[in-house]
C-alpha cells in the first residue's frame, strides 16, 4: 500500500526520516510530563492580547516582519529589532537556520568548491530534531559523543566543520555549558579558514529553549560574535507551546539570512493572534519570572527526593530532569509509569536507553509522580 504512494514521492521525500514528537494523548487523562510544556498557564495579559486581536482584522494578512513583536523582544533583551527574527515556533527558526548557515552537500552548498561539504557538528545526545533538519537540507553532519557523564567537551568542537549547534542547557540531559566555553567555539568558527577549500567563517547556533531555567544566556555576546545565533522559544518558559512562537537573536546579517529562507517558503508564518500573544508574554517579565522560579524550586525538590530514593538524577538547568531507575530499564520504568497514568519520555537510543526524561509539572503532579517512584523503587509493583 505504501508502495503505491511511494511512486509519487520524489527522492527527497523518500529519504526523509521525520521527527517523532512526544505523545499528545486525547483519549485518557494523564499526568503529562513528556513534552516539557510549562505546567502553569500563560500570563493573563497574553489571553487579553489574543482576544483583542481576534477581530475583523483577521481578514488581513499579518505583518510579515512581526514588527511590534520584534520591537518588544529587542527592548526586553537589549538588542536592536534588526537583530531579531520571529518564526512559527523555534522548530521553524531552527529549520531555517540549518538551511541558511550550515555547509550543504547540494551543488552550490556554501564555500565547499568541488570538495564534499564539511559536516555540521552537534552532540550525539541532543535534541533529536537536528539530524532531521540536516536531512531536509542535505547538510552532512557528525554527532560528537558527549562524555560518560553526558557533559559536553567544548574542545571537541574546535575543529574544521560546516558549523555547530548546541542547546544550552542540552536536551534531554539538562546539562548546561558555561558561556565562556561556547564563546570559545564561536571565536574558533569565526576565525576558521581553510586555504585548501577556501572555506572561512562558520556559524554557531546556541539553542536556548531552556536557558531561562538555569543556563547562562549568550545574548550579551551577540554584538561581539557576528557568527553566533541564539534561538529561543515561548513554548517552555512562556507557557505557550500551543501558540507556536520562537525567535532568533543574532547579528543582522544572520537575521537577514533567516528572512531570505522564510520568504522563500511562507511570508506569514506568525499569525496575528500569535504575534499579539507573544508580544504580551515577552513584556510580562514579572509574571514569568515568578513561574520560572516555581518550576526551578519544584525541580530541585524532586531531584533531592528522587536521589534519596536511589534514582540517578543528572543535575538539570532545564524544566525537566533526566533520571535512571535504580533497577529497571528505561522502557520498563516508562511502562510502569504509563500504566499508572503518568507520561514521561523515553528515547530509544543506546546510550540513554536506561533513562527517562521527566518534565517538571506542578507540585501536585510531581507528588503523584514521586509516590509512584517510591513504590516502584521499593519493588511494590511486582
Ligand atoms: C522544545 C524545543 C524546541 C522547539 O520549541 P518550539 O518553539 O515549540 O518549536 C527547540 N529546541 C529544543 C532543544 C527544544 O527542546
Amino acid at each position: 500500500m505504501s508502495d503505491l504512494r511511494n511512486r509519487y514521492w520524489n527522492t527527497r521525500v523518500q529519504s526523509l526520516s521525520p521527527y517523532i514528537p512526544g505523545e499528545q494523548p486525547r483519549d485518557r487523562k494523564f499526568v503529562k510530563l513528556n513534552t516539557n510544556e510549562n505546567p502553569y498557564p500563560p500570563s493573563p495579559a497574553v489571553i487579553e492580547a489574543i482576544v483583542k486581536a481576534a477581530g475583523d482584522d483577521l481578514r488581513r494578512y499579518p505583518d510579515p516582519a512581526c514588527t511590534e513583536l520584534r520591537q518588544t523582544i529587542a527592548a526586553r533583551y537589549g538588542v536592536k529589532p534588526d537583530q531579531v527574527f520571529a518564526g512559527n515556533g523555534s522548530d521553524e527558526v531552527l529549520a531555517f537556520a540549518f538551511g541558511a548557515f550550515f555547509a550543504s552537500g547540494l551543488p552550490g552548498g556554501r564555500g565547499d568548491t568541488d570538495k564534499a561539504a564539511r559536516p555540521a557538528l552537534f552532540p550525539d545526545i541532543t535534541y533529536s530534531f537536528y539530524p532531521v533538519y540536516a536531512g531536509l537540507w542535505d547538510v552532512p553532519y557528525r554527532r560528537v559523543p558527549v562524555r560518560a557523564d553526558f557533559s559536553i567537551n567544548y574542545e571537541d568542537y574546535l575543529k574544521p566543520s560546516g558549523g555547530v549547534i548546541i542547546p544550552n542547557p542540552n536536551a534531554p540531559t539538562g546539562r548546561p555549558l558555561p558561556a565562556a566555553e561556547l564563546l570559545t567555539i564561536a571565536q574558533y568558527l569565526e576565525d576558521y579558514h581553510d586555504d585548501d577549500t577556501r572555506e572561512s567563517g562558520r556559524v554557531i547556533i546556541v539553542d536556548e529553549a531552556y536557558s531561562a531555567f538555569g543556563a547562562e544566556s549568550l545574548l550579551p555576546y551577540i554584538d561581539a560574535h557576528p557568527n553566533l545565533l541564539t534561538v529561543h522559544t515561548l513554548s517552555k518558559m512562556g507557557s505557550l507551546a500551543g501558540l507556536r512562537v520562537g525567535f532568533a537573536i543574532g547579528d543582522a546579517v544572520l537575521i537577514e539570512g533567516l528572512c531570505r529562507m522564510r520568504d522563500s517558503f511562507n511570508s506569514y508564518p506568525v499569525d496575528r493572534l500569535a504575534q499579539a500573544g507573544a508580544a504580551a508574554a515577552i513584556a510580562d517579565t514579572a509574571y514569568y519570572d515568578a513561574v520560572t522560579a516555581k518550576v526551578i524550586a519544584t525541580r530541585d525538590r524532586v531531584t533531592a527526593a528522587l536521589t534519596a530514593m536511589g534514582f540517578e538524577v543528572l543535575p538539570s538547568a532545564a524544566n525537566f530532569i533526566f533520571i535512571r531507575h535504580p533497577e529497571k530499564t528505561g522502557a520498563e520504568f516508562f511502562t510502569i509509569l504509563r500504566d499508572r497514568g503518568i507520561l514521561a519520555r523515553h528515547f530509544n537510543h543506546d546510550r540513554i536507553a536506561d533513562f527517562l526524561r521527566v518534565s517538571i509539572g506542578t507540585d501536585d503532579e510531581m507528588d503523584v509522580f514521586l509516590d509512584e517512584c517510591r513504590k516502584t523503587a521499593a519493588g511494590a509493583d511486582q
Side-chain angles (χ1 to χ4, degrees), residues 106-349:
L106 286 174
R110 111 153 252 245
D112 296 300
T113 59
D114 53 348
K115 306 207 173 178
R118 291 214 191 264
L121 305 180
F122 47 80
D124 62 338
I125 308 298
T126 196
Y127 189 32
S128 41
F129 225 134
Y130 298 159
V132 178
Y133 301 133
L136 177 63
W137 301 115
D138 293 294
V139 167
Y141 62 90
R142 201 160 65 235
R143 303 175 204 253
V144 180
V146 296
R147 296 187 184 105
D149 67 357
F150 300 111
S151 63
I152 289 170
N153 180 2
Y154 76 98
E155 290 175 325
D156 293 341
Y157 297 83
L158 306 179
K159 59 173 69 148
S161 73
V164 169
I165 179 163
I166 295 177
N168 195 33
N170 195 13
T173 64
R175 278 196 175 274
L177 257 82
E181 296 183 359
L182 290 163
L183 292 173
T184 303
I185 302 173
Q187 191 63 53
Y188 171 85
L189 293 175
E190 203 178 316
D191 297 340
Y192 167 58
H193 180 79
D194 184 330
D195 284 335
D196 223 21
T197 60
R198 276 177 276 138
E199 297 168 325
S200 81
R202 290 300 191 201
V203 169
I204 176 169
I205 302 170
V206 179
D207 184 344
E208 298 198 345
Y210 303 102
S211 68
F213 300 100
E216 267 179 282
S217 173
L218 289 198
L219 278 173
Y221 309 102
I222 57 155
D223 283 325
H225 294 275
N227 64 331
L228 167 64
L229 188 77
T230 62
V231 177
H232 312 260
T233 177
L234 288 173
S235 296
K236 281 74 182 232
M237 175 276 283
S239 304
L240 288 170
L243 199 67
R244 311 305 304 132
V245 180
F247 53 97
I249 301 182
D251 188 86
V253 174
L254 297 182
I255 300 308
E256 180 62 25
L258 293 174
C259 292
R260 290 171 70 92
M261 292 295 292
R262 177 195 62 206
D263 294 335
S264 306
F265 178 75
N266 173 6
S267 289
Y268 307 102
V270 189
D271 65 68
R272 282 177 176 273
L273 307 186
Q275 289 188 34
I282 298 286
D284 197 350
T285 50
Y287 177 88
Y288 285 106
D289 286 351
V291 164
T292 301
K294 269 207 281 195
V295 171
I296 290 172
T298 306
R299 176 192 73 204
D300 294 348
R301 176 175 76 84
V302 171
T303 299
L306 286 171
T307 307
M309 289 177 214
F311 287 77
E312 181 182 349
V313 187
L314 297 194
S316 171
N319 70 337
F320 56 82
I321 47 176
F322 204 50
I323 66 173
R324 178 156 63 178
H325 193 285
E327 288 129 30
K328 314 261 178 228
T329 67
E332 287 165 346
F333 186 26
F334 173 86
T335 305
I336 290 168
L337 289 175
R338 198 175 194 289
D339 288 348
R340 294 171 183 180
I342 299 168
L343 268 191
R345 188 93 199 258
H346 180 244
F347 296 93
N348 232 336
H349 182 307

